[in-house]
Amino acid sequence: MKKIVALVIASLVSFALYAQAADKVSEIISAREASYGQAAYLACCARGTVKEETGYEDALNVLKEKGFADSSVNASDKITMKELAKVCSYTWKIEGSLMCKLVGSPRYIFRQMKADEVIDVSADPMGVPSGRNLLAVITDCIDRYQVKDGEDK
């Protein structure tokens, strides 16, 4: 009897956690303009450095600690495509041009992601993606690039 009760409780907890993650993804998809917090949440979840129930601010703090986000940005600030490329470089091995490897600046990472057709070729580096575009870039990164071997997993 105790096993059945424990199984039911574990199932309810896992359903609640899944529902919370699904709510965040739905919120991201419906966003008119994507935020740093949303991008950080998706990238950190993909890398496994935060749990799905983590908030946007906590995920952004992980990126700030690692130097992939400016310390002055907030989770609610809009993210540009160029900065999204920098966030993606935290999670995935984006290899390509010599300048991308040597300098690693968001500009060259953005250009490499355009060349790899992860970011639309007509995308403006200073443009703000919608939530749907943010999720599309993250999904394409998952398909195209290998997750970095984590020193912080």
Side-chain angles (χ1 to χ4, degrees):
M1 185 67 172
K2 288 182 182 178
K3 290 182 181 178
I4 294 173
V5 171
L7 182 62
V8 169
I9 291 172
S11 297
L12 291 174
V13 169
S14 66
F15 288 135
L17 291 177
Y18 176 75
Q20 186 174 2
D23 287 343
K24 282 190 180 177
V25 172
S26 296
E27 179 185 326
I28 291 169
I29 290 172
S30 65
R32 191 172 176 88
E33 294 181 313
S35 70
Y36 268 94
Q38 292 168 338
Y41 172 78
L42 290 173
C44 289
C45 281
R47 181 145 186 201
T49 54
V50 299
K51 296 181 180 179
E52 291 181 356
E53 59 271 8
T54 302
Y56 296 144
E57 193 68 45
D58 292 333
L60 182 58
N61 286 336
V62 170
L63 291 183
K64 286 179 181 180
E65 289 171 8
K66 300 296 180 185
F68 287 89
D70 190 2
S71 61
S72 65
V73 298
N74 295 318
S76 60
D77 291 347
K78 306 301 180 232
I79 190 166
T80 64
M81 291 297 286
K82 184 171 70 170
E83 290 301 316
L84 174 58
K86 184 176 180 180
V87 169
C88 289
S89 73
Y90 166 70
T91 304
W92 293 280
K93 292 180 183 176
I94 301 172
E95 299 175 351
S97 71
L98 179 63
M99 290 303 289
C100 185
K101 290 177 185 175
L102 290 177
V103 179
S105 78
R107 175 178 186 232
Y108 293 112
I109 297 167
F110 173 79
R111 290 179 65 185
Q112 184 59 47
M113 290 176 72
K114 281 176 76 170
D116 292 340
E117 297 178 352
V118 171
I119 294 176
D120 188 71
V121 294
S122 64
D124 177 14
M126 298 310 291
V128 176
S130 67
R132 185 168 295 216
N133 289 345
L134 168 66
L135 197 58
V137 168
I138 297 292
T139 303
D140 287 347
C141 284
I142 291 169
D143 290 341
R144 177 83 165 103
Y145 305 118
Q146 178 183 357
V147 173
K148 286 184 178 180
D149 295 329
E151 67 280 349
D152 53 7
K153 273 194 175 181

